[in-house]
Amino acid sequence: MTVKSRWKLFSTLFIVIVTIAIVYIYATGRDKRCVSAEYTEAKQSMDFREIKPIKAKGMKKKLQSIYDKVFTVDREDLTNAKQVWERLQKVGFNSDESAGLIDMLIGFNGDFIYFKELKEQLSDPTLRDDVAAEIILALSGTYRGQNGAKFHIPSNERDREIQQAIREEIASPHGKESLYMALKKLGYAESYETVMQTLQDIQDDEGSLLGELPIYRLKLKYIGMENKKDDAKTLVDEIAKLDVEIQKKLMGSLSKFGYSVGVIGDEELTQKYISVIKNSMPKVYQPVDHDEIYQKAIEKVKQDSRFMEIYNTMNDRDQAYDMMRNYIQSEYEDMESEDEDVNNNYLRQDAFQAIARALSPDPGDYLIGYKRAFFSTNDWDEKLEYLNDFWNQVHEYGEDDVKEQFLLDKEIKSALEEGLREANMSHENLEEIKEFLKDFH
């Protein structure tokens, strides 16, 4: 095997190693954030051959002493975190790999282990913006705080240091990403009132690094956590006046905000919120041939001569097949994310979920919201959209009790039966109604 071929093989094996590591990170349940685009590029150049196994003797005891036994890091995480940290030390904090390495470090609980060292890096004014954002994310992941409404009250000296880092980043940000991340975590450092005033000040500042879109996302997040009726009304009124394209870009955050609208239970707010959603949502579902997109992904992978050379020469065919399948899946997901019809369908689905959430006073009992949404319209296309979305969620979450409750609902069953008798009902809707009625008791 030539040196060039050997390097290609090592590069591909590294990609597999990193993929497994990322899956492990998110399987452990630490919901931090998606791996950055910079990391996707960086992992192709990172050479894991230089990372050697290390001994972590005594580190766990040291951690417990430093961090008041708040968190216990197991030996495997210590080893993995040390390996990633050594790589980070080698490439420095301003390389294309740095943000992704810190993201990996978080997954191995390295934010607890290297808290002091990470915090020190924020004092460097030349630090890359994306890296500063990752460090803010890492530091805030170790925040303890008080319970409930007093969460922004620190529990220990580490909490106070985190608060200081967040405030300093907002006062003198390294760039847009780090400022946005610090504002996302500002609730760790300040009361709700102070957070909202800070967001408003930044929104009013014509020279701010952030535009209106990220500020509205943050406002939706914080007001949605507190369920403040007056603030919610003001915010929805503001968003209602925005351009429809901006509203579409806010749909993800707006959809989650539906929980808060439902809990607040103010009729005026609910109707204004629903009108914003209906105004900005795609009006028609676009059929998408997902199989065709998948075939395009297969063809794109096959045209990657560098990858196919390695794939065809691997002795372990099971591993080669898994590598091929993962590569195709990644390309397929990228193609779907870039498809306009797919994105519009997701926006439409988010919209129906948002309306159902806004109509339910109990976030844990979404059947209430979907039932109210079903009866809120005479349009059978919309009625069936609500039922389908509800049904998909029941199956996704495996909630058989909710499914049974739905199938016992006589009001919904009666409405479906009446639908069969409507003269202008489309053939597609009639067939769909029949399918639903087959399962009703």
Side-chain angles (χ1 to χ4, degrees), residues 97 111 141 149 159 164 166 175 186 189 206 235 245 248 255 293 299 319 338 342 355 383 436:
E97 296 180 36
D111 41 1
D159 282 359
Q164 179 189 6
I166 291 171
L186 185 55
E206 294 182 358
L235 181 60
E245 291 305 312
K248 285 182 180 179
S255 177
I293 297 176
E299 290 305 313
Q319 184 182 29
E338 295 170 0
V342 171
I355 293 170
K383 281 181 176 291
F436 273 114

Side-chain angles (χ1 to χ4, degrees), residues 18-83:
V18 172
T19 301
I20 293 171
I22 294 170
V23 171
Y24 169 79
I25 290 170
Y26 290 96
T28 58
R30 297 197 72 206
D31 183 15
K32 294 291 182 120
R33 73 186 271 280
C34 293
V35 179
S36 61
E38 289 83 359
Y39 178 38
T40 303
E41 298 173 1
K43 68 181 181 182
Q44 297 174 354
S45 63
M46 179 176 169
D47 189 353
F48 241 59
R49 293 174 298 171
E50 299 178 8
I51 293 182
K52 307 296 183 183
I54 58 96
K55 294 183 179 180
K57 186 176 181 180
M59 283 293 289
K60 191 180 294 185
K61 182 177 180 181
K62 177 186 176 184
L63 275 174
Q64 291 176 339
S65 172
I66 293 175
Y67 301 131
D68 304 320
K69 300 184 180 180
V70 171
F71 195 87
T72 301
V73 181
D74 63 33
R75 187 179 184 85
E76 184 178 358
D77 275 0
L78 283 167
T79 302
N80 291 330
K82 182 65 180 297
Q83 292 173 0

Side-chain angles (χ1 to χ4, degrees), residues 2 36 54-55 90 108 122 161 169 177 181 191 198 200 273 277 279 282 286 318 325 411 415 431:
T2 65
S36 61
I54 58 96
K55 294 183 179 180
K90 181 172 183 177
F108 295 127
L122 284 176
E161 291 182 20
E169 192 64 34
E177 287 189 52
M181 182 63 71
S191 67
T198 302
Q200 191 60 50
Y273 173 79
I277 296 296
N279 181 56
Q286 298 292 341
D318 288 338
R325 183 180 57 189
E411 292 178 307
E431 292 302 310

Side-chain angles (χ1 to χ4, degrees), residues 116-132:
K116 181 179 179 181
E117 292 86 345
L118 288 169
K119 183 176 179 297
E120 287 176 352
Q121 293 299 320
L122 284 176
S123 61
D124 180 0
T126 67
L127 186 68
R128 284 175 56 139
D129 181 28
D130 59 331
V131 177

Side-chain angles (χ1 to χ4, degrees), residues 167-215:
R167 292 178 184 128
E168 289 178 354
E169 192 64 34
I170 292 172
S172 182
H174 289 80
K176 292 181 180 180
E177 287 189 52
S178 58
L179 174 59
Y180 185 69
M181 182 63 71
L183 289 170
K184 279 182 71 175
K185 304 303 179 182
L186 185 55
Y188 290 11
E190 306 290 357
S191 67
Y192 168 78
E193 291 75 18
T194 301
V195 170
M196 295 306 297
Q197 185 59 56
T198 302
L199 293 177
Q200 191 60 50
D201 290 344
I202 291 176
Q203 186 174 12
D204 293 340
D205 181 5
E206 294 182 358
S208 171
L209 291 173
L210 298 180
E212 61 182 358
L213 192 63
I215 294 297

Side-chain angles (χ1 to χ4, degrees), residues 140-343:
S140 61
T142 72
Y143 184 83
R144 188 177 182 183
Q146 303 291 331
N147 294 327
K150 296 184 178 181
F151 185 64
H152 65 283
I153 305 299
S155 290
N156 51 36
E157 183 58 33
R158 186 184 69 253
D159 282 359
R160 282 184 277 275
E161 291 182 20
I162 294 168
Q163 292 179 332
Q164 179 189 6
I166 291 171
R167 292 178 184 128
E168 289 178 354
E169 192 64 34
I170 292 172
S172 182
H174 289 80
K176 292 181 180 180
E177 287 189 52
S178 58
L179 174 59
Y180 185 69
M181 182 63 71
L183 289 170
K184 279 182 71 175
K185 304 303 179 182
L186 185 55
Y188 290 11
E190 306 290 357
S191 67
Y192 168 78
E193 291 75 18
T194 301
V195 170
M196 295 306 297
Q197 185 59 56
T198 302
L199 293 177
Q200 191 60 50
D201 290 344
I202 291 176
Q203 186 174 12
D204 293 340
D205 181 5
E206 294 182 358
S208 171
L209 291 173
L210 298 180
E212 61 182 358
L213 192 63
I215 294 297
Y216 279 121
R217 286 192 178 121
L218 290 167
K219 285 185 174 182
L220 286 164
K221 170 194 169 183
Y222 282 112
I223 296 175
M225 292 169 63
E226 295 290 329
N227 300 325
K228 299 286 188 179
K229 183 173 71 173
D230 290 342
D231 289 351
K233 281 186 171 183
T234 300
L235 181 60
V236 171
D237 282 340
E238 285 183 31
I239 293 175
K241 298 173 185 176
L242 297 176
D243 184 83
V244 173
E245 291 305 312
I246 299 295
Q247 293 175 354
K248 285 182 180 179
K249 292 177 181 179
L250 286 171
M251 185 61 78
S253 299
L254 271 170
S255 177
K256 294 175 184 176
F257 194 68
Y259 288 120
S260 182
V261 173
V263 170
I264 292 171
D266 180 84
E267 183 65 23
E268 181 185 351
L269 170 63
T270 301
Q271 292 310 313
K272 175 59 74 70
Y273 173 79
I274 290 176
S275 71
V276 170
I277 296 296
K278 288 189 172 182
N279 181 56
S280 58
M281 68 185 286
K283 301 300 184 286
V284 180
Y285 176 84
Q286 298 292 341
V288 175
D289 190 337
H290 296 278
D291 289 338
E292 182 181 351
I293 297 176
Y294 195 79
Q295 288 302 316
K296 289 181 180 179
I298 293 174
E299 290 305 313
K300 184 174 180 180
V301 170
K302 286 182 177 179
Q303 292 171 12
D304 185 341
S305 58
R306 175 178 173 274
F307 171 81
M308 293 305 299
E309 178 185 347
I310 297 168
Y311 170 79
N312 290 325
T313 56
M314 289 180 68
N315 293 326
D316 189 331
R317 298 316 297 165
D318 288 338
Q319 184 182 29
Y321 174 76
D322 287 343
M323 187 171 68
M324 168 76 82
R325 183 180 57 189
N326 291 336
Y327 190 5
I328 292 171
Q329 181 64 26
S330 176
E331 291 296 336
Y332 169 69
E333 291 174 2
D334 286 346
M335 287 182 178
E336 282 221 320
S337 69
E338 295 170 0
D339 188 283
E340 184 177 355
D341 288 340
V342 171
N343 286 327

Side-chain angles (χ1 to χ4, degrees), residues 369-386:
Y370 277 101
K371 182 176 178 178
R372 289 181 178 178
F374 175 80
F375 284 109
S376 71
T377 177
N378 293 320
D379 185 324
W380 272 96
D381 287 340
E382 289 189 14
K383 281 181 176 291
L384 291 170
E385 285 277 8
Y386 287 122

